[in-house]
């Protein structure tokens, strides 16, 4: 059978589930930055004594954010579009087919990067503008005339219409510090509101990233409340929106404007990827509401490489074709001739496609609540797969938002969870899932990090639980040892005792695309990857080093005490002629029986800290004897067991972390 999808040899399609993917939404995202260029936007903040004070002007910081987002999207969403439009510039530039005819004109609008999938040239041009001050001053010159916001929004409308007409997610990011561009012009303000309404009718979502000046707080009520439509429902009982309004960034409060803008833009940068839309949530018999499912967390991997055909005039991506052949006659086998079979009892049981479909049909896609249980009954090991975030939708059932909000609030207050029967799509296997209520999560700046809603957590069936390992007799740690380890853990807590994934980019993924970027842009290859997951050894040693050594000494003391208390049982376990007897003989320096004489215990030469430090500095640790290394390590409360190479590594790591 000929197909257009090539798969590597050895891929087994026997157990592949034939599913109807019409319920999935492939979200293609297009983001257009609109950045104002004005004297105030080009004025850097006043100098301060703080080392973390702002040094970038608002326009420069916004361009750096756009550059950072472009690099990020190449890695995470290589099929999404992005563009940068400057307004308020002295020069005008608009790449459009209609531009040549002169029918359309957008004065003081400069299309820096057209809305398209970012290419190497786009990244290079934006990088040059961000890093080259002369190029920045040459291009970024503010206009002496005022700019019509209606004209700017109409320009954005044209870009979205021509470049991304079929994208299901289209967003406009406006960065400005002018909260009332048409203060004395009612007609211009009304015209801008009409153009904004046209964008919303087109399906474009406008996001505002306001910047407050040192002498003036940004007030959205003056102009932008009519431009940016609020996502907050008028229903007081409705849940909070998935992403709320952005807090204004300030250039004079000591917080880095660049970091603040990056944080705000990153919170809006990722398009919401719908796993399913308008799925019925059955609260009771005949009582249904409509919900959407979103993938909040998804592992990112390097995009698969492709085969390239180089024999033609220009390089082309090769498309693989798979053909099924009969083993005896080598003739092409058609799809209708192929049946699926499952082995049972040594025989092949054949099924037609219709029979396979009927076997897998457990009903229409839905989420059906079977009952409720306390949240405390959900064990941590019960998560089979990543959870799906669900949120109400009014498209199929009016009033879904109010019912969803009431259910969410009741589950949160009562600390209950729902047990549901969940079928995500047609022909999908049914799943038992916990309907877990999640509260809204905010950061220190009041920005939303996780929206309020319900999570569907797939639960295991009896067939999914494997046999537990055999339980062996364990030695319980004594309380003094636990108390000392508690001090170590307290010293090594993460900030606010929480793991923030936003601070730890995947080093392997970042390194992969950093190499690709350097090769595509003709840059020097980086020497080392930036890995923020590497532990900060110096800080760990400074904060917890002494506590770890105390714990080691306490462990040694407790072990000696345990050996004394359990000397009879330990000797029985080890055997009279086993390792324990040999260690006892070595420790006591007793006489040997085979050589006819006594063996004296060798005197161990000791090295103090200064001597060991000098040996480390002279790279002569490896020349010391095993006895010297072991004695020094045990004196520091560290493990002195192992081969010489392991002992040398421990000594070296000790001095490297100091």
């Amino acid at each position: 059978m000929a197909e257009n999808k090539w798969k590597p040899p050895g891929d087994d399609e026997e157990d592949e589930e034939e599913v109807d993917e019409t319920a999935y939404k492939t979200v293609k995202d297009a983001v257009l930055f609109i950045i104002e260029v004005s004297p105030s936007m080009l004025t850097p903040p006043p100098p301060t004594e703080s080392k973390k004070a702002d040094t970038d002007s608002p326009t420069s910081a916004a361009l750096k954010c756009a550059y950072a987002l472009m690099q990020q999207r190449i890695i995470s969403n290589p099929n999404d579009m992005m563009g940068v439009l400057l307004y308020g510039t002295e020069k005008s530039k608009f790449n459009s087919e209609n531009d040549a005819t002169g029918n359309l004109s957008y004065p003081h609008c400069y299309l820096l990067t057209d809305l398209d999938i970012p290419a190497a040239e786009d990244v290079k041009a934006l990088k040059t503008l961000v890093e080259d001050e002369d190029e920045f001053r040459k291009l970024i010159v503010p206009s002496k005339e005022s700019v019509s916001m209606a004209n700017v929004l109409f320009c954005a409308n044209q870009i979205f219409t021509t470049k991304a007409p079929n994208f299901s997610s289209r967003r406009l990011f406006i960065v400005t510090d002018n909260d009332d561009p048409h203060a004395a012009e009612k007609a211009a303000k009304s015209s801008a509101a009409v153009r904004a309404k046209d964008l919303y009718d087109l399906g474009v979502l406008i996001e505002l990233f306001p910047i407050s000046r040192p002498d003036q707080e940004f007030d959205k009520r003056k102009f932008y409340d009519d431009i940016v439509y609020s996502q907050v429902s008028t229903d007081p009982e409705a849940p909070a929106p998935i992403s709320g309004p952005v807090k204004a960034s300030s250039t004079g409060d000591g917080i880095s404007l660049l970091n603040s803008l990056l944080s705000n833009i990153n919170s809006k940068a990722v398009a919401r990827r719908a796993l399913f839309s308008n799925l019925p949530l059955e609260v009771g018999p005949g009582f249904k509401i409509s919900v959407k499912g979103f993938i909040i967390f998804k592992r990112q991997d390097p995009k698969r490489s492709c085969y390239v055909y180089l024999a033609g005039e220009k390089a082309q991506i090769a498309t693989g074709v798979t053909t099924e052949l009969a083993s005896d006659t080598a003739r092409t086998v058609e799809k209708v001739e192929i049946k699926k079979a499952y082995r049972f009892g040594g025989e092949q049981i054949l099924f037609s496609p219709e029979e396979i479909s009927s076997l897998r049909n457990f009903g229409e896609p839905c989420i059906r609540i079977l009952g409720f249980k306390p949240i405390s009954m959900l064990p941590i090991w019960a998560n089979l797969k990543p959870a799906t975030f669900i949120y109400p939708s009014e498209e199929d059932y009016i009033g879904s938002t109010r019912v969803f909000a009431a259910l969410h609030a009741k589950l949160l207050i009562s600390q209950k969870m729902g047990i549901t029967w969940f079928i995500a799509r047609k022909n999908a296997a049914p799943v038992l899932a916990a309907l877990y209520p999640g509260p809204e999560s905010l950061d220190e700046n009041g920005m939303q990090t996780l929206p309020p809603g319900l999570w569907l957590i797939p639960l295991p069936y009896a067939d999914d639980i494997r046999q537990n390992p055999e339980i062996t007799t364990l030695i319980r740690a004594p309380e003094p040892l636990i108390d000392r380890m508690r001090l170590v853990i307290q010293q090594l807590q993460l900030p606010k005792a929480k793991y923030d994934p936003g601070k730890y980019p995947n080093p392997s993924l970042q390194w992969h695309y950093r190499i690709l970027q350097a090769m595509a842009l003709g840059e020097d290859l980086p020497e080392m990857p930036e890995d923020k997951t590497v532990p900060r050894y110096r800080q760990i040693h400074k904060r917890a080093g002494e506590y770890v050594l105390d714990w080691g000494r306490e462990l040694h003391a407790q072990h000696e005490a345990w050996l004394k208390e359990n000397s009879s049982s330990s000797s029985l376990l080890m055997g009279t002629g086993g390792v324990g007897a040999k260690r006892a003989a070595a420790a006591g320096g007793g006489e040997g029986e085979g050589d006819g004489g006594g063996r004296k215990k060798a005197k161990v030469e000791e090295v103090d800290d200064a001597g060991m430090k000098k040996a480390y500095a002279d790279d002569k640790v490896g020349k010391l004897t095993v006895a010297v290394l072991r004695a020094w390590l045990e004196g520091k409360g560290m493990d002195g067991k192992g081969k010489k190479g392991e002992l040398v590594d421990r000594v070296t790591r000790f001095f490297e972390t100091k």
Side-chain angles (χ1 to χ4, degrees):
M1 180 187 68
E3 293 181 346
N4 289 329
K5 294 183 179 179
W6 179 84
K7 293 184 179 180
D11 272 20
D12 188 10
E13 298 183 4
E14 291 292 326
D15 297 327
E16 185 177 340
E17 191 177 87
E18 294 180 357
V19 297
D20 180 14
E21 295 187 353
T22 56
Y24 279 89
K25 279 194 173 181
T26 303
V27 180
K28 293 173 107 180
D29 189 37
V31 172
L32 179 64
F33 271 85
I34 291 187
I35 302 172
E36 184 182 10
V37 176
S38 65
S40 61
M41 286 285 286
L42 292 175
T43 303
T48 62
E49 297 179 358
S50 174
K51 294 181 179 180
K52 297 183 179 181
D54 298 332
T55 57
D56 299 307
S57 66
T59 298
S60 175
L63 286 171
K64 287 183 178 180
C65 287
Y67 173 60
L69 182 61
M70 183 176 287
Q71 289 180 301
Q72 175 187 331
R73 290 173 83 82
I74 289 175
I75 297 175
S76 58
N77 307 103
N79 296 322
D80 290 352
M81 289 186 176
M82 182 177 164
V84 179
L85 175 67
L86 306 176
Y87 73 95
T89 55
E90 187 67 34
K91 296 180 180 179
S92 301
K93 175 187 172 185
F94 182 71
N95 296 330
S96 173
E97 295 176 359
N98 297 325
D99 209 24
T101 62
N103 294 334
L104 293 175
S105 178
Y106 304 103
H108 309 300
C109 292
Y110 192 92
L111 189 58
L112 182 64
T113 302
D114 203 357
L115 186 64
D116 206 342
I117 296 174
E121 295 78 10
D122 300 326
V123 180
K124 200 168 185 177
L126 196 53
K127 181 183 179 183
T128 302
L129 185 63
V130 166
E131 296 180 353
D132 191 340
E133 293 185 4
D134 294 334
E135 187 71 21
F136 183 86
R137 293 194 192 97
K138 180 181 177 181
L139 178 62
I140 311 298
V141 179
S143 169
K144 297 178 182 178
E145 302 176 2
S146 61
V147 183
S148 168
M149 286 303 298
N151 208 30
V152 173
L153 295 175
F154 187 46
C155 178
N157 192 317
Q158 282 295 115
I159 294 172
F160 279 116
T161 304
T162 56
K163 294 294 182 179
N166 299 320
F167 276 46
S168 53
S169 173
R170 291 177 285 188
R171 295 178 294 162
L172 190 65
F173 289 0
I174 302 177
V175 185
T176 179
D177 67 346
N178 188 357
D179 57 5
D180 196 3
H182 301 301
E185 303 175 71
K186 271 192 173 183
K189 187 180 292 188
S190 300
S191 179
V194 171
R195 293 300 184 192
K197 179 67 166 56
D198 292 342
L199 281 168
Y200 277 103
D201 291 342
L202 190 65
V204 177
L205 181 64
I206 300 177
E207 299 278 10
L208 177 66
F209 297 93
I211 298 175
S212 294
R213 303 172 191 166
D215 57 342
Q216 182 181 352
E217 189 73 22
F218 195 99
D219 188 357
K220 291 184 286 187
R221 295 172 297 179
K222 293 182 179 179
F223 175 77
Y224 281 98
D225 273 355
D226 296 330
I227 304 299
V228 180
Y229 288 10
S230 174
Q231 298 182 28
V232 180
S233 174
T234 54
D235 188 347
E237 298 183 9
I242 291 184
S243 58
V246 172
K247 182 182 178 182
S249 302
S250 177
T251 61
D253 58 0
I255 301 175
S256 170
L257 173 64
L258 178 60
N259 290 336
S260 178
L261 269 178
L262 272 173
S263 175
N264 291 342
I265 289 174
N266 282 335
S267 67
K268 301 282 186 178
V270 181
R272 295 192 295 272
R273 311 274 168 172
L275 179 64
F276 50 78
S277 296
N278 304 324
L279 195 69
L281 171 59
E282 189 175 320
V283 183
F287 183 16
K288 298 180 181 179
I289 62 175
S290 182
V291 295
K292 289 184 178 181
F294 298 96
I295 304 172
I296 302 295
F297 305 102
K298 186 178 184 298
R299 178 179 174 82
Q300 293 291 341
D301 294 308
K303 299 302 175 184
R304 288 183 59 184
S305 58
C306 55
Y307 291 100
V308 180
Y309 179 70
L310 299 175
E313 296 181 0
K314 62 178 183 178
Q316 294 179 317
I317 295 178
T319 303
V321 177
T322 303
T323 304
E324 302 286 347
L325 301 175
S327 59
D328 52 352
T329 61
R331 70 177 182 85
T332 302
V333 180
E334 300 297 332
K335 184 178 180 180
V336 293
E337 301 179 74
I338 299 175
K339 288 188 176 182
K340 287 198 172 183
Y342 292 90
R343 185 178 296 276
F344 183 81
E347 295 184 6
Q348 297 280 0
I349 312 299
L350 299 177
F351 290 93
S352 66
E354 293 77 15
E355 290 171 333
I356 290 287
S357 179
S358 63
L359 285 173
R360 290 175 172 168
N361 185 11
F362 285 87
E364 291 297 316
C366 72
I367 304 172
R368 183 178 299 116
I369 297 179
L370 305 178
F372 299 93
K373 293 286 185 181
I375 288 178
S376 58
M377 294 186 67
L378 180 65
I380 192 171
W381 51 262
N383 294 19
L384 268 183
K385 296 179 181 178
T388 302
F389 178 77
I390 62 173
Y391 205 72
S393 169
E394 295 282 330
E395 294 183 21
D396 285 354
Y397 298 97
I398 304 299
S400 295
T401 304
R402 292 178 65 91
V403 176
F404 185 92
L407 176 63
H408 175 260
K410 178 60 179 174
L411 291 177
L412 267 182
I413 294 171
S414 303
Q415 285 296 289
K416 300 278 188 180
M417 63 178 178
I419 304 298
T420 64
W421 168 271
F422 172 42
I423 302 178
R425 56 195 183 276
K426 287 184 178 179
N427 295 337
V431 175
L432 280 178
L435 194 64
Y436 192 95
E440 183 179 21
S441 177
L442 305 174
D443 62 11
E444 60 272 8
N445 298 322
M447 293 298 301
Q448 187 185 79
T449 56
L450 275 179
L454 298 174
W455 296 83
L456 278 173
I457 303 175
L459 300 176
Y461 288 110
D463 316 78
D464 302 324
I465 302 175
R466 297 188 176 183
Q467 185 66 34
N468 291 330
E470 294 183 5
I471 299 176
T472 57
T473 304
L474 301 177
I475 302 174
R476 298 290 178 184
E479 288 299 324
L481 199 60
I482 296 174
D483 292 338
R484 291 190 183 275
M485 180 52 70
R486 185 178 292 111
L487 293 174
V488 174
I489 294 174
Q490 289 173 352
Q491 294 300 317
L492 298 180
Q493 287 282 343
L494 289 171
K496 298 184 179 179
K498 289 184 179 180
Y499 168 69
D500 182 6
K503 294 182 179 180
Y504 303 99
N506 185 338
S508 174
L509 196 67
Q510 297 292 328
W511 180 240
H512 173 80
Y513 282 100
R514 181 69 186 90
I515 295 293
L516 291 183
Q517 176 184 325
M519 296 179 68
L521 303 183
E523 302 172 347
D524 294 333
L525 293 178
E527 296 181 359
M528 290 290 293
E530 183 183 3
D531 188 357
K532 294 186 177 179
T533 64
V534 174
R536 299 178 180 178
Y537 295 109
R538 291 183 182 273
Q539 292 187 15
I540 292 173
H541 178 71
K542 184 178 179 180
R543 294 175 60 181
E546 288 300 324
Y547 295 103
V548 173
L549 294 177
D550 290 344
W551 180 85
R553 286 188 283 266
E554 182 65 29
L555 174 63
H556 182 72
Q558 293 291 341
H559 181 248
E560 292 294 331
W562 183 87
L563 287 177
K564 290 180 181 179
E565 293 176 3
N566 301 271
S567 57
S568 59
S569 60
S570 61
S571 62
L572 287 173
L573 288 172
M574 293 181 180
T576 55
V579 179
K582 292 182 180 179
R583 287 179 180 170
E591 297 180 353
E593 297 178 0
D595 54 5
R599 180 181 296 174
K600 293 184 179 179
K601 185 177 179 181
K603 184 178 180 181
V604 178
E605 181 184 357
E606 294 184 356
V607 176
D608 58 5
D609 291 351
M612 188 63 75
K613 188 173 183 180
K614 186 176 186 304
Y616 167 77
D618 296 339
D619 199 18
K620 294 182 179 179
V621 177
K623 295 184 179 181
L624 299 175
T625 64
V626 173
V628 171
L629 294 170
R630 183 174 290 129
W632 188 86
L633 286 168
E634 290 176 350
K636 291 292 180 184
M638 301 168 67
D639 186 10
K641 298 177 182 178
K643 297 181 180 179
K644 183 175 181 179
E646 297 173 350
L647 303 180
V648 171
D649 288 341
R650 288 174 202 149
V651 174
T652 304
R653 281 199 302 269
F654 176 84
F655 287 103
E656 282 178 350
T657 55
K658 291 195 70 174

